[in-house]
Amino acid sequence: MRAAVLRRPGTPLTIEDVDLDDPGPGEVAVRVFAAGVCHSDLHYMNGDLQGRLPAVLGHEGAGVVERVGAGVTRVRPGDTVITLWRPRCGECEFCLTGRPALCPLGKVQATSGGLPDGTSRLALNGEKVHHLMGVSCFAEKCVVSERSVVAVDPAVPPAVAAITGCAVVTGVGAALNVMEDVAGSGVVVIGAGGVGLSAVMGLRLVGANPIVAVDTVDTKLDKALELGATHTINASTHDVAEELARISPRPMSWALDAVGAPQTLQQAFEVVGTGGTVVAVGLGKVGATVPVPINPLVQQEKRLIGSLYGSANTPVDIPKLIDLFKAGRLPLDKLLGEQYELSEINEAYAALSRGATGRAVILPGGEG
């Protein structure tokens, strides 16, 4: 099969003919119809995050199950599925206490470059090739654990299904699962990429007000208004704190940082009001830190919390998100950006680096 391979950080992805093993026990083979262009892959490409190389990248995908290994019970051939980069075992303390995004299986896959057993199903000219987060969907096909897929309605457009598996569940999930009692409260969302825009949609769904999107690209801010933001601020031309004071006499109760840079997380802490909460959802460079002023933390009882993968229970939450899309409550199709063929993947990431608007997708099988 053709797949996009990363050999060294700082080098372009190469489209190569990669060997893919048949699914083993508990595994499924998926023909990939669409894969989202996520900034997390770019972190691995430029070395901000470190993984086992060479690797086939891609973790936000959708397709159809072609074959299943022994003992698979969750899906069957012909099912349309969304891939999950944080599987849940269902047995650890995190799964049993309602925090499955923290299931250790995710760390096993991330550190080993393999599937839950730590081994790979990919090879190139006899050389072992690693998986990215147990998925590797920048390819015509992938083999994943049955815990790394969730079946969805086949009528959902593949591109919409694909982005739901990462950007949407991360952003909307943070709004629904983490930001409790947010109805009627002011929220500032820093970063209007795929995750930030998804958070805007989720916040609109639950009745936050005002919803202020912050970015440095005007087209992204226009998209935020289309998806539910009540106000926008271009941080490259305006002082964010001054603009927030103009927008609302009441300080923001919540701030969500979808960027993952020290300066944006620090800015989120500064602009949230007394008693407010900062939710960090964007990943940063390995070792990156942010200074937190102690006195405002204590005297104003501010909170700074993290949310991984929307703090979601994906087998339950993703079908709900798809149902909300089908009901017209979540306009996920409006989140989509440009579409690219697999051979154009480096152009897709160049556009992302330049500030492309919306969530772009790769179509390895030519599906739309």
Side-chain angles (χ1 to χ4, degrees), residues 175-195:
L176 272 58
N177 299 323
V178 180
M179 304 171 78
E180 69 275 357
D181 299 324
V182 74
S185 296
V187 184
V188 55
V189 177
I190 300 178
V195 172

Side-chain angles (χ1 to χ4, degrees), residues 253-257 265 268-269 272 276-280 303-306:
S253 300
W254 295 85
L256 183 142
D257 175 34
L265 190 55
F269 188 86
V272 76
T277 302
V278 176
V279 181
R303 295 188 301 159
L304 174 58
I305 61 177

Side-chain angles (χ1 to χ4, degrees), residues 155-179:
V156 176
V160 169
I163 65 172
T164 303
C166 181
V168 173
V169 73
T170 298
V172 179
L176 272 58
N177 299 323
V178 180
M179 304 171 78

Side-chain angles (χ1 to χ4, degrees), residues 78-340:
D79 283 351
T80 296
V81 295
I82 291 173
T83 59
L84 310 174
W85 56 270
R86 294 296 296 194
R88 53 167 298 167
C89 71
E91 300 174 352
C92 70
E93 64 173 301
F94 296 109
C95 287
L96 294 175
T97 56
R99 305 177 73 189
L102 301 179
C103 176
L105 281 184
K107 185 175 182 180
V108 169
Q109 293 188 151
T111 56
S112 69
L115 299 186
D117 65 358
T119 63
S120 174
R121 306 293 172 266
L122 300 164
L124 182 59
N125 298 323
E127 176 189 13
K128 178 180 178 181
V129 176
H130 296 91
H131 300 260
L132 180 72
M133 294 186 276
V135 178
S136 294
C137 60
F138 284 158
E140 294 172 326
K141 300 180 182 181
C142 61
V143 166
V144 300
S145 167
E146 69 171 323
R147 297 186 178 96
S148 294
V149 294
V150 58
V152 296
D153 185 347
V156 176
V160 169
I163 65 172
T164 303
C166 181
V168 173
V169 73
T170 298
V172 179
L176 272 58
N177 299 323
V178 180
M179 304 171 78
E180 69 275 357
D181 299 324
V182 74
S185 296
V187 184
V188 55
V189 177
I190 300 178
V195 172
L197 292 172
S198 296
V200 166
M201 285 190 287
L203 292 165
R204 179 186 185 185
L205 184 70
V206 297
N209 186 64
I211 303 169
V212 185
V214 178
D215 205 284
T216 59
V217 180
D218 283 334
T219 55
K220 289 186 175 183
L221 295 173
D222 291 341
K223 178 63 70 172
L225 288 172
E226 181 184 358
L227 294 176
T230 60
H231 303 77
T232 61
I233 302 172
N234 188 319
S236 67
T237 57
H238 293 80
D239 182 278
V240 174
E242 291 180 0
E243 288 298 302
L244 287 173
R246 182 187 62 79
I247 290 168
S248 173
R250 297 174 56 199
M252 297 293 110
S253 300
W254 295 85
L256 183 142
D257 175 34
V259 178
Q263 60 268 30
T264 56
L265 190 55
Q266 185 174 25
Q267 182 179 57
F269 188 86
E270 291 171 352
V271 300
V272 76
T274 298
T277 302
V278 176
V279 181
V281 300
L283 292 174
K285 184 177 181 179
V286 171
T289 60
V290 60
V292 176
I294 295 174
N295 287 355
L297 181 69
V298 176
Q299 294 170 338
Q300 299 177 32
E301 292 194 359
K302 293 187 178 185
R303 295 188 301 159
L304 174 58
I305 61 177
S307 173
L308 178 66
Y309 212 11
S311 302
N313 184 354
T314 47
V316 176
D317 289 355
I318 284 181
K320 287 182 178 180
L321 296 176
I322 294 296
D323 285 344
L324 287 166
F325 163 70
K326 291 163 59 180
R329 303 289 302 281
L330 277 178
L332 304 183
D333 52 331
K334 294 182 180 180
L335 178 60
L336 293 171
E338 296 295 322
Q339 297 186 349
Y340 298 87

